[in-house]
Amino acid sequence: MADVMAQEVQMDPGVEMDHEVEMEQEVEMEEEECTFSGDSDYSDDSDFVDEISEEELLGDLLKEKPTEPSEVNDTVIVVDGVPKVGPERFEKLCNLLHNIFEKFGAVVSSGFPKDSDGKTRGYVFFEYNDVDAAREAIKQKDGFKLDKSHTFRVNVVSDFAKYAKVDEKMAIPEKEPFNYVGNLQSFLEDDNCHDQFCAIYDEGMTTGIYSNTAPEPTIVAERQRWTEKYVRWSPYGAYFATIHSKGIALWGGAEFKQIQRFGHQQVHFIDFSPCEKYLVTLGQGEPAAVIIWEILNGMKKRVFPIDMSQEENLRWPTFKWSDDGKYFARMLKGVIQVYETPNMNLLDKKSFSVPNVSQFCWSPKDNLLAYWVAEQDQIPARVVILNIPSRHEVRVKNLFNVQDIRLHWHNEGRFLCVKVDRYNKTKKIHYSTFEIFHINEKQVPVDIIEQKEQVQAFAWEPTGNKFCCLHGIPGYTSASFYEIKSGKVELVSTMERKSASHLFWSPAGQFILLASVEGNNPPGTLEFVDTGDMSVMHIAEHPGASDVEWDPTGRYIVSCASYWAQKEDAAAWFWSFQGKLLRKFRREKLCQLLWRPKPPTLLSPEQCKQIKKDHKKYSKGFEAKDRLLHSRVSKEILDKRRELMDSYTEYRQKCSAQYQQDTPYRRELRNDVNTDEIECGVIDDEWTEVKVESLFSEENEVIADDKKGKE
């Protein structure tokens, strides 16, 4: 049976060949049927425009079109540094990572690679709907610390292909020429230790930098249209900043060459970090933003968009810096955000929640952050001193019946004064108290001082243990001076019936100016006080004074009536620390005057004390140098006067010679009559000296005898 079936299936070779020939003939006939006669190939003309788009014609099919690989790679991120877990903990890890990365956008898919034992490999994939969500996830979570042992490193998948194509042969970068701008501390090399100051005048058209020499300041640099708004010195005086519509320019060195430019449209405010390493600018263009720049290379470190409609964004500076420049912080509604340098990221990648926070400030010496929280319902107000970066609460104090609080750090960071404006239980009578925190003592004890009147101003002595406050009603205040001795706060003296509204301590301490500036009644009153013996050294007035500023050494103080505040009599008056008026610096339409700051001394406190102790040893040399300087100044004045007199004498002789030369011409015009002698009556320069005495005023005063007066 099998043999029969094999014979039936086996075909004759000739028959098989005939079958193939028939198939070829059928294919040829089909090709002939598909060939049409005629010249046209039925293709569109070259200028034909199809009015139907692909979306209208093939819309359903285009939706199913696969995404280009580059686009897919940009929406897929890979997260490395993920914990390696087994099947029993996989679901918990999956939920945790989804909760973290779904905050930035919808996650289309995710992948968790595993090994042969079902254990995760330590990296995962997330695919987002759009590229922006993936970029935001990388920005926020790259470097995020999940715990002590795991830190995320986040990249897009396309980065791997890009870095795989990097040429192994290093391309040597071009060497950039060194741009030497000069010694930024050259102003400290002045043998006579003259301070410098800048001034804007001519209604802002001219800016000049002067050296405070005697008897008149010496111009160092002067330029037209140097700035479009105002100027600013850096904290140590190394940089001079000018404001322009297109950004900021920094200048420095002995010749004030341009050091760096920062492009930021419509800049209104600028600020420096205390270490002079970073510059902060606020531009109110579209969109408004705060930008932090690195001064040395001009790089933009980070941009913070700002919504100017929000009240918390209207405060300046937006960011406050720690003393060493390692941290900067800002306050938003209910949170305080602390950032760290140089990566400009949030400290520990998170803000800390502080509901109802009202104010915060850094210690001038340590990385301590003080803030206060307002009262709410039955919860009292609270003052907190926080250590950064540990976030450990160094001290917490609850306060009741609080209307307002202001925080004042001592310049050396040894004390914190919390000025509390309070009301009584009826909420009618307002008074103030001072809560003095002793930062360097164990457990940070607090002293409380009560003022029955409302406090108008408060200021610490920069280098000592004293502080002063103005209390009372505006225009009729009293100045009270306190001193911290042996850990206790004592009242030293109270000066009553003062019109002062502001307090200005000398940077060197001991001397203070009680001033009433523009906008107060009466304006321009200046009272110079020596707190060593609590004596008033001098009382003066500068009408219209709108600003008062000490020089960095505490030797001089300037009161300025700005053209921006008043249009008439704009001038700056220079005073000694004792209240003696030294000079009046007048420039046409004077707008602004700023002293150039100086860096802190490199001497230790012991060396400074020794120098003060040996002051008498050096004073004789200083006095001799001052006398020589004054004599040199007097000689310069006399030489200038002599030069002017010689110029006048030369001009007079020239005119006299010309007059004598024209005598024949005059006589010819006057019928040969020498009218010169007739008119003046003087021949051959004979002059007669006549003394005239005039009585200007006469006063008669009757002085009665004391005995007669009594009778």
Side-chain angles (χ1 to χ4, degrees), residues 660-673:
Q660 294 297 330
Q661 185 179 352
D662 295 341
T663 299
Y665 178 67
R666 288 196 305 274
R667 293 184 66 172
E668 181 182 352
L669 293 175
R670 299 174 183 178
N671 298 326
D672 203 22
V673 177

Side-chain angles (χ1 to χ4, degrees), residues 309-558:
S309 63
Q310 299 294 327
E311 183 180 355
E312 60 267 18
N313 293 329
L314 299 179
R315 291 184 291 262
W316 184 259
T318 304
F319 294 98
K320 297 181 180 180
W321 292 83
S322 62
D323 177 67
D324 55 7
K326 289 183 178 180
Y327 306 99
F328 59 98
R330 68 172 173 177
M331 181 180 68
L332 299 177
K333 188 175 181 180
V335 297
I336 295 179
Q337 296 179 332
V338 180
Y339 297 83
E340 55 184 341
T341 59
N343 56 24
M344 302 296 166
N345 292 329
L346 271 173
L347 182 64
D348 296 334
K349 295 292 182 179
K350 59 183 179 180
S351 309
F352 56 94
S353 176
V354 187
N356 296 325
V357 60
S358 299
Q359 183 197 4
F360 80 97
C361 56
W362 290 93
S363 166
K365 290 298 178 184
D366 303 307
N367 288 332
L368 297 177
L369 189 69
Y371 66 88
W372 72 277
V373 179
E375 285 183 292
Q376 186 179 18
D377 299 330
Q378 301 299 320
I379 303 175
R382 188 171 79 256
V383 175
V384 180
I385 301 176
L386 203 67
N387 180 273
I388 299 295
S390 67
R391 305 194 185 196
H392 168 68
E393 293 183 349
V394 178
R395 186 71 160 84
V396 180
K397 182 104 170 31
N398 293 330
L399 302 169
F400 299 89
N401 302 327
V402 173
Q403 182 188 22
D404 190 24
I405 291 178
R406 284 293 175 266
L407 306 176
H408 302 276
W409 280 98
H410 187 275
N411 282 27
E412 298 175 351
R414 295 184 285 120
F415 307 104
L416 171 65
C417 175
V418 180
K419 182 181 77 69
V420 186
D421 294 333
R422 300 178 181 271
Y423 54 82
N424 59 8
K425 294 182 179 179
T426 61
K427 297 188 177 181
K428 292 183 178 180
I429 302 175
H430 297 277
Y431 63 99
S432 300
T433 60
F434 298 121
E435 312 271 341
I436 308 296
F437 289 70
H438 299 255
I439 303 299
N440 294 337
E441 296 186 22
K442 189 176 181 180
Q443 297 182 351
V444 191
V446 180
D447 287 333
I448 302 176
I449 303 168
E450 183 175 334
Q451 274 290 348
K452 296 182 179 180
E453 298 177 311
Q454 195 165 7
V455 174
Q456 304 295 332
F458 175 93
W460 284 101
E461 182 184 18
T463 59
N465 296 336
K466 300 188 188 76
F467 64 87
C468 177
C469 66
L470 294 175
H471 50 90
I473 60 176
Y476 192 80
T477 57
S478 299
S480 294
F481 295 86
Y482 295 85
E483 186 173 7
I484 301 177
K485 295 181 179 179
S486 303
K488 296 182 179 180
V489 182
E490 300 178 1
L491 176 64
V492 178
S493 178
T494 298
M495 298 181 177
E496 299 180 349
R497 300 181 180 180
K498 303 295 180 184
S499 61
S501 61
H502 292 73
L503 301 170
F504 299 94
W505 279 97
S506 165
Q510 182 177 348
F511 303 103
I512 187 173
L513 176 68
L514 312 180
S516 174
V517 297
E518 182 67 27
N520 296 275
N521 188 24
T525 303
L526 309 175
E527 194 164 346
F528 298 82
V529 178
D530 181 0
T531 61
D533 54 5
M534 290 300 162
S535 62
V536 178
M537 298 181 292
H538 188 66
I539 299 177
E541 287 189 4
H542 182 183
S546 56
D547 188 26
V548 174
E549 188 176 358
W550 285 89
D551 82 312
T553 63
R555 295 177 295 175
Y556 308 102
I557 187 170
V558 62

Side-chain angles (χ1 to χ4, degrees), residues 79-99:
V79 184
D80 198 4
V82 176
K84 297 179 181 180
V85 299
E88 66 279 0
R89 299 181 61 189
F90 173 75
E91 184 178 356
K92 184 177 180 180
L93 176 65
C94 183
N95 293 334
L96 173 64
L97 295 180
H98 272 273
N99 290 335

